[in-house]
Amino acid sequence: HRDLHSFPTRRSSDLFHFVPRLSDVKNGLRELLFYAPMALVLGLSLGFLQMHWLMPSPAKFVLSWIWIFFAIAVLEESYFRGLLQNLLERRMGRSWALLTASVIFGLSHFNKGATRFNWRYVLLASLAGIFYGRAWRAERRLVASAITHASVDTIWSIWLR
C-alpha cells in the first residue's frame, strides 16, 4: 500500500522526462539490434511477417518514426514500463517483473490485425516487450524503451506488414 502511494513522487522525473540522452539512444538502439534478428526469423517463419521491398523517402521514414514515437511508443511505454514493470519489480524482482510485464504487453495486442486471438502477434509482441523492458531497465528511462518501440514499429509498418 505504501509503495503505491509513494510511486508518483519517487521516480516522477524518470517517468515524465522525455528529453533524450545519448545513453537513451544507445540503450534503445542496442535492444533493437538484439530483438530484430530474432523477430525477423520468427515472424517470417510463422508467416506473420512479409517483406516489402519499397524504399520510402527519408522524410517519410523520419516522420513515421516521430509519429509512432509520440502517438504509440511513449504512451504504451509509460504504462507497461513506467508503471507496470516498475511496480512489479518491487514485488517480484527484476527478472519476473520484466517477463510478466512483457507477457501482459503481448496479450494486450491479441486482436491486432485480426478478428480473433492473434497468437503470432502476441508471441512477437511479448518478445518485443522483453527488449523494450530491457531498454527501460538499463537506466530506468522511458525514452530508451520508446526509442526501441518506435523503431520496431516503424520498421514493421514500412517493410514487414
Side-chain angles (χ1 to χ4, degrees), residues 3-4 9 27 32 37 41-42 46 51 57 77-78 82 88 97 100 113 135 147 149 151-152 154:
D3 282 343
L4 189 57
T9 58
N27 291 329
L32 170 67
V41 169
L42 186 60
L46 292 173
M51 293 292 294
S57 70
E77 293 308 306
S78 294
L88 289 173
T100 303
I147 287 170
H149 193 151
S151 299
V152 167
T154 302

Side-chain angles (χ1 to χ4, degrees), residues 141-158:
R141 299 266 305 160
L142 289 174
V143 173
S145 60
I147 287 170
T148 310
H149 193 151
S151 299
V152 167
D153 283 11
T154 302
I155 291 167
W156 176 70
S157 69
I158 291 176

Side-chain angles (χ1 to χ4, degrees), residues 101-152:
S102 298
V103 168
I104 294 170
F105 176 79
L107 288 169
S108 75
H109 293 79
F110 77 94
N111 66 345
K112 292 276 184 152
T115 56
R116 293 185 244 203
F117 187 84
N118 189 341
W119 67 270
R120 291 171 187 90
Y121 203 129
V122 169
L123 179 64
L124 284 167
S126 295
L127 184 60
I130 291 171
F131 292 92
Y132 303 164
R134 285 170 37 102
W136 171 79
R137 193 171 71 175
E139 294 184 30
R140 303 182 80 77
R141 299 266 305 160
L142 289 174
V143 173
S145 60
I147 287 170
T148 310
H149 193 151
S151 299
V152 167

Side-chain angles (χ1 to χ4, degrees), residues 10 13 16 20 25 29 51 53 66 90-91 106 122 127 129 147 161:
R10 258 196 213 163
S13 64
F16 303 108
V25 176
L29 294 180
M51 293 292 294
W53 295 105
I66 291 169
R90 297 174 191 191
R91 301 286 184 223
V122 169
L127 184 60
I147 287 170
R161 270 193 187 202

